[in-house]
Amino acid sequence: MGSLSQLYLPGAVSLWCALAFAVTTLWGYSLVLRGDETARPFARRSYGLFALATVLTSAILFLALWRRDFRIEYVFQHSGLDLAGHFQIAAFWAGQKGSFLIWLLWGALLGVLLWRTTGRDLEAPVMGVYTLTQLGLLFILVRENPFVMLAETPIDGKGLNPLLQDDWMVIHPPVMFIGYSLTAIPFSFAVASLWRRNYRDWAARAFPWALAGFLILGAAILMGGYWAYKTLGWGGYWGWDPVENASLIPWLLLVVLIHGFYMERTRKRYRRANYILSVLSYLAVLYGTFLTRSGVLADFSVHSFVDLGISRWLVALMVFFIVLPTWLIATRLGQVPTQTNEDSLLTRGFFLVFSTITVLASAVVIAVGTSAPLLTGFMENPGQVGPEFYNQVNQPIALLTAFLLSVVPYLTWRERPPREILKRLIVPSLVGVAACLFSLYLGAYGKLHILLIFLATVALVTNFEKTMARARVGGVTAAGGYLAHVGVGIILIGFLASSAYDRQVKVTLAQNQPQTLDNGTTLTFTRTMPRTATERERLEIKVERPNGSEYYAYPKMFINDRTRQLMVNPHIRKLWNMDLYISPIEYDPGRPAGAPERLQLAQGQQLEVGDLRVQFLGFDLSAGGNAMAQMASDQPITVGATLEVVHQGQTTALTPRYTFDQRGAAEAPPLSLPGGGALRVGGINATDGAVILEVIGAAGMAVTAEPPRLALDLTEKPLIQLVWFGLYVILFGGVLAMVRRFRQARLSEQLADGAA
């Protein structure tokens, strides 16, 4: 935190006010807990003022970004004069400080809803714990104040990371932080329940919040995956990067938690486990934040933030929120009443418990893999695990999940005869067999793949049947859980088809020269298209499909004006059964007839050009005088390149000179080559210690023009639509379930108020 003169006071003061009001909120609720009911309005007003101060702080930063107020360091670091308006909004959460502030903003606003819906009996303890979670973020923001000002005001900012200049990145991060904020609510209910030794009702009231977290975090994961797929150009939607895993792990834990809440609601079981799961969901968010924002993974993840000096704060935050619930769980969990597990094998209860253990195992495995750089940190060469690790360990988990989902809809809380269950599974199994035969016809292979197709199809059919049955009896909202399971069946097929059966081919196209691939597709690179007011530089490719249809693809390839990074955006053609994914790799502008050929040679390296073999022996710093003295006296510097040129077995020594000055002017007289033609120094690559040569008219050199060439990846992603559609179905099922649980929670509260 800088001194007062270094801070933009409107923002800094509002942030300090938020901190002060959060503290007074805690004090107010502590008085309520000690029996002073007159303090409840004070605590509520304090929380309202905390939320208002947080909104004001966010609004001030937003206005500073919108006005391009480059006096503020954060604005300078993440925005620029040429940034479009909606990307100027995205600059809010482009850096660490802004992302913590948007997290705090959503948390503060959700707290207002929480206080209004928690119920009078649970309000004080739950809001007390919840405010503590907000205080953790506030301390970090006060420590790393986003309103630090620069000593001098630049005329322009550094601009936004070019990878973030995408429409999806305008909405993906804020949605993600809503999901993160929601995980703090079941955590607060659980800790408050243990603290007050009030083990009733908390789960029913936390249930819809857990569903909301599952829904919002899932939507954010969907957006992030689609952004990676359509923007980064590597052809995938999930790379098992630590930043991706940091959101997936709490989402999987929320999946387990909502099933635990369901078990508690219907069978009065899982009550103790739900405390632990509620705590783990929130701790997973804190741990993921530590991994990706402390700099510990800076060498292992392209998305990880560098350390801003907040590692100790993040560790302290984690330790506090680990120690507090751990002590409560250790001392009071045994007092929580629960039902003895009397479920036999073929019951819904047994399968639900087994399902949650399966998903929990997946979360643990991913957490261990993500932590590999930390776990191996004591070794000489710390390492990380690759996508193969995650794919291999999650494959049996996917099979087991599909099997459990296939059978659960036909199970009841009491054991049914196996023959009856098998009888009901006959039709879904026949559909599964038909799906397998069709897959084999399309080219599917491998026992595990066929087994996964069968189980996923059966799960889809059985849960769809159950969805329709529940909707008929209890209304649409009663079918949310089973509808989400239908989505799981769909998405498993999509994962398998789009990842195991994608077909990728690399091809280099000469301009206007059609090239037919093995799959019958003909590609023709027709032209480059310059930048316009609305579009970056594009490449036009004519695509002719084997069925006679044709279209033009326009992938983008350009140099970012500020960072000089080469940027690539693929072109995605959506067909009914696949995506055709075209991503540029390299563009060679070609060479007109008679143009010189450029060679770059490191010391000792040799290359052939025409009938010549040219070897670079090193730089001669005395070729035009003393180059070091010329540099010291700010005179033009002359450097020679010592070469050996071999032509028809004869070796000739050449030392072409290169003279340049501090203003960038350069002069390089050509030297004649044996056998004809000329050579000169075209530049020096000081980083690699290499010389750049330009050769023209050498013996054996082609004198014809070389057309522009474009190297690209063409990937067929079969059934990838099922990945997006399956997740939509899962989330829609989550919405229905959340609506139902909110209604039930409100009804419970009304009944409790009536009883009181």
Side-chain angles (χ1 to χ4, degrees):
M1 184 175 66
S3 64
L4 284 178
S5 61
Q6 295 175 307
L7 294 175
Y8 183 65
L9 287 180
V13 170
S14 61
L15 189 60
W16 296 335
C17 287
L19 179 61
F21 289 130
V23 172
T24 56
T25 301
L26 280 177
W27 182 49
Y29 278 121
S30 70
L31 294 177
V32 176
L33 288 169
R34 281 182 281 178
D36 184 2
E37 271 300 317
T38 60
R40 189 182 295 272
F42 170 78
R44 290 177 173 176
R45 279 196 296 272
S46 292
Y47 189 87
L49 290 170
F50 154 68
L52 184 62
T54 304
V55 171
L56 183 61
T57 305
S58 305
I60 291 170
L61 181 58
F62 173 76
L63 285 174
L65 286 162
W66 190 258
R67 294 175 58 243
R68 277 85 166 172
D69 190 346
F70 300 124
R71 293 177 299 166
I72 301 173
E73 184 185 23
Y74 189 82
V75 178
F76 166 72
Q77 291 286 348
H78 301 288
S79 70
L81 293 173
D82 59 345
L83 210 56
H86 60 306
F87 294 142
Q88 201 68 29
I89 297 173
F92 189 110
W93 41 83
Q96 292 226 42
K97 299 174 183 178
S99 57
F100 277 114
L101 182 56
I102 192 75
W103 188 355
L104 178 69
L105 172 65
W106 296 137
L109 295 176
L110 284 171
V112 176
L113 293 175
L114 181 63
W115 130 44
R116 292 179 173 276
T117 57
T118 302
R120 196 174 183 85
D121 54 333
L122 293 178
E123 179 189 337
V126 170
M127 287 302 297
V129 177
Y130 186 75
T131 306
L132 277 178
T133 66
Q134 305 306 300
L135 266 178
L137 297 175
L138 268 168
F139 284 138
I140 291 174
L141 279 168
V142 171
R143 166 68 175 78
E144 289 299 322
N145 200 306
F147 297 101
V148 173
M149 297 182 70
L150 296 168
E152 296 181 0
T153 305
I155 58 173
D156 195 2
K158 288 187 174 179
L160 184 65
N161 184 332
L163 290 176
L164 303 181
Q165 296 181 36
D166 183 273
D167 293 345
W168 284 101
M169 294 310 289
V170 179
I171 56 174
H172 161 62
V175 174
M176 180 74 72
F177 285 111
I178 296 175
Y180 281 1
S181 299
L182 282 163
T183 60
I185 296 179
F187 171 85
S188 301
F189 272 104
V191 172
S193 169
L194 289 169
W195 172 29
R196 303 296 293 175
R197 301 180 193 272
N198 179 2
Y199 309 121
R200 296 179 297 106
D201 300 334
W202 77 273
R205 297 185 186 181
F207 195 173
W209 293 104
L211 277 165
F214 157 81
L215 179 68
I216 301 294
L217 203 51
I221 291 171
L222 171 68
M223 292 177 191
Y226 191 70
W227 165 77
Y229 180 65
K230 71 174 282 291
T231 302
L232 299 185
W234 59 280
Y237 43 82
W238 196 262
W240 298 107
D241 185 272
V243 172
E244 297 172 323
N245 295 347
S247 59
L248 179 63
I249 295 167
W251 187 74
L252 290 173
L253 290 171
L254 285 173
V255 171
V256 180
L257 178 61
I258 59 180
H259 285 83
F261 281 151
Y262 175 71
M263 288 286 286
E264 179 166 346
R265 176 177 178 77
T266 54
R267 305 297 292 172
K268 306 301 179 188
R269 290 182 46 204
Y270 238 69
R271 299 184 70 174
R272 295 175 181 173
N274 286 335
Y275 284 103
I276 298 172
L277 290 169
S278 298
V279 170
L280 284 179
S281 301
Y282 180 61
L283 290 182
V285 170
L286 292 184
Y287 181 60
T289 303
F290 165 73
L291 284 181
T292 56
R293 293 168 188 276
S294 64
V296 297
L297 298 183
D299 295 333
F300 302 94
S301 169
V302 296
H303 302 297
S304 179
F305 285 89
V306 296
D307 184 17
L308 282 182
I310 59 173
S311 300
R312 292 180 180 178
W313 286 87
L314 289 171
V315 170
L317 198 62
M318 277 198 305
V319 169
F320 177 78
F321 285 114
I322 289 174
V323 170
L324 175 65
T326 300
W327 176 72
L328 291 171
I329 288 171
T331 56
R332 302 177 187 187
L333 195 64
Q335 303 167 9
V336 178
T338 187
Q339 295 290 325
T340 306
N341 182 7
E342 296 177 347
D343 291 325
S344 54
L345 181 62
L346 290 177
T347 61
R348 186 182 299 171
F350 180 86
F351 269 59
L352 272 173
V353 172
F354 199 23
S355 300
T356 57
I357 292 172
T358 304
V359 179
L360 184 62
S362 178
V364 171
V365 166
I366 295 170
V368 171
T370 308
S371 306
L374 285 184
L375 299 175
T376 59
F378 64 93
M379 301 171 66
E380 184 177 353
N381 295 310
Q384 62 177 339
V385 298
E388 298 78 14
F389 165 80
Y390 296 104
N391 293 334
Q392 287 182 5
V393 297
N394 277 296
Q395 190 174 57
I397 292 176
L399 286 168
L400 190 55
T401 302
F403 166 72
L404 294 169
L405 289 181
S406 301
V407 183
V408 161
Y410 295 149
L411 298 176
T412 61
W413 299 115
R414 294 183 178 180
E415 186 166 9
R416 303 174 71 173
R419 181 180 299 175
E420 184 179 337
I421 298 170
L422 291 173
K423 185 178 178 181
R424 296 199 63 182
L425 281 169
I426 289 176
V427 173
S429 298
L430 290 176
V431 177
V433 170
C436 291
L437 292 174
F438 186 61
S439 301
L440 288 168
Y441 169 75
L442 294 177
Y445 57 86
K447 295 177 182 176
L448 291 179
H449 290 183
I450 299 302
L451 180 59
L452 182 59
I453 292 170
F454 173 77
L455 292 174
T457 304
V458 174
L460 194 161
V461 174
T462 57
N463 283 280
F464 181 75
E465 179 187 343
K466 192 71 176 182
T467 299
M468 301 303 292
R470 292 294 297 266
R472 282 194 297 270
V473 175
V476 176
T477 57
Y482 288 104
L483 183 60
H485 293 169
V486 172
V488 175
I490 295 171
I491 205 170
L492 286 176
I493 297 173
F495 283 152
L496 178 67
S498 61
S499 58
Y501 294 93
D502 63 338
R503 290 186 289 272
Q504 183 183 47
V505 59
K506 289 181 170 55
V507 60
T508 300
L509 304 174
Q511 189 169 18
N512 294 321
Q513 296 179 22
Q515 190 169 146
T516 302
L517 309 180
D518 291 342
N519 63 4
T521 300
T522 300
L523 302 176
T524 307
F525 166 44
T526 55
R527 58 172 174 155
T528 59
M529 302 176 68
R531 182 182 302 192
T532 66
T534 57
E535 291 281 2
R536 296 284 190 175
E537 293 87 344
R538 294 183 296 168
L539 305 153
E540 185 179 77
I541 301 159
K542 184 179 181 182
V543 183
E544 298 170 87
R545 298 283 297 154
N547 60 6
S549 63
E550 62 179 49
Y551 68 93
Y552 285 88
Y554 296 96
K556 298 175 184 174
M557 182 179 249
F558 57 93
I559 301 293
N560 182 268
D561 296 333
R562 289 177 178 271
T563 64
R564 309 310 300 167
Q565 286 177 268
L566 177 64
M567 306 299 300
V568 169
N569 293 152
H571 179 99
I572 303 172
R573 179 74 169 187
K574 295 187 178 301
L575 306 177
W576 71 271
N577 60 343
M578 70 171 73
D579 279 0
L580 288 177
Y581 193 93
I582 297 178
S583 181
I585 302 173
E586 185 178 3
Y587 173 69
D588 178 356
R591 190 172 69 238
E597 182 169 343
R598 290 172 66 88
L599 312 174
Q600 177 168 309
L601 295 172
Q603 186 172 4
Q605 186 181 3
Q606 57 182 325
L607 288 175
E608 291 187 355
V609 52
D611 294 337
L612 306 178
R613 188 173 71 248
V614 182
Q615 183 176 15
F616 173 49
L617 300 179
F619 289 110
D620 181 358
L621 301 183
S622 60
N626 188 328
M628 301 305 293
Q630 293 164 350
M631 185 182 301
S633 59
D634 201 22
Q635 295 179 359
I637 303 163
T638 299
V639 176
T642 306
L643 308 174
E644 277 189 359
V645 180
V646 180
H647 176 243
Q648 295 182 345
Q650 299 293 319
T651 302
T652 304
L654 295 176
T655 307
R657 297 179 180 181
Y658 185 69
T659 303
F660 60 98
D661 59 24
Q662 302 293 338
R663 297 184 299 276
E667 182 180 344
L671 296 182
S672 296
L673 288 167
L679 169 150
R680 69 175 184 176
V681 177
I684 294 173
N685 185 337
T687 304
D688 298 333
V691 65
I692 299 169
L693 302 175
E694 294 180 350
V695 183
I696 186 169
M701 258 182 76
V703 295
T704 57
E706 291 189 7
R709 296 178 186 276
L710 172 64
L712 54 82
D713 269 337
L714 173 67
T715 309
E716 294 179 350
K717 309 287 287 187
L719 300 183
I720 193 170
Q721 299 90 336
L722 295 184
V723 174
W724 316 122
F725 181 63
L727 197 47
Y728 290 144
V729 175
I730 292 172
L731 297 180
F732 185 59
V735 170
L736 296 178
M738 183 181 68
V739 170
R740 183 177 178 83
R741 301 308 169 194
F742 266 120
R743 287 176 179 171
Q744 290 173 340
R746 187 183 304 168
L747 181 61
S748 299
E749 186 180 347
Q750 290 171 349
L751 291 173
D753 290 343

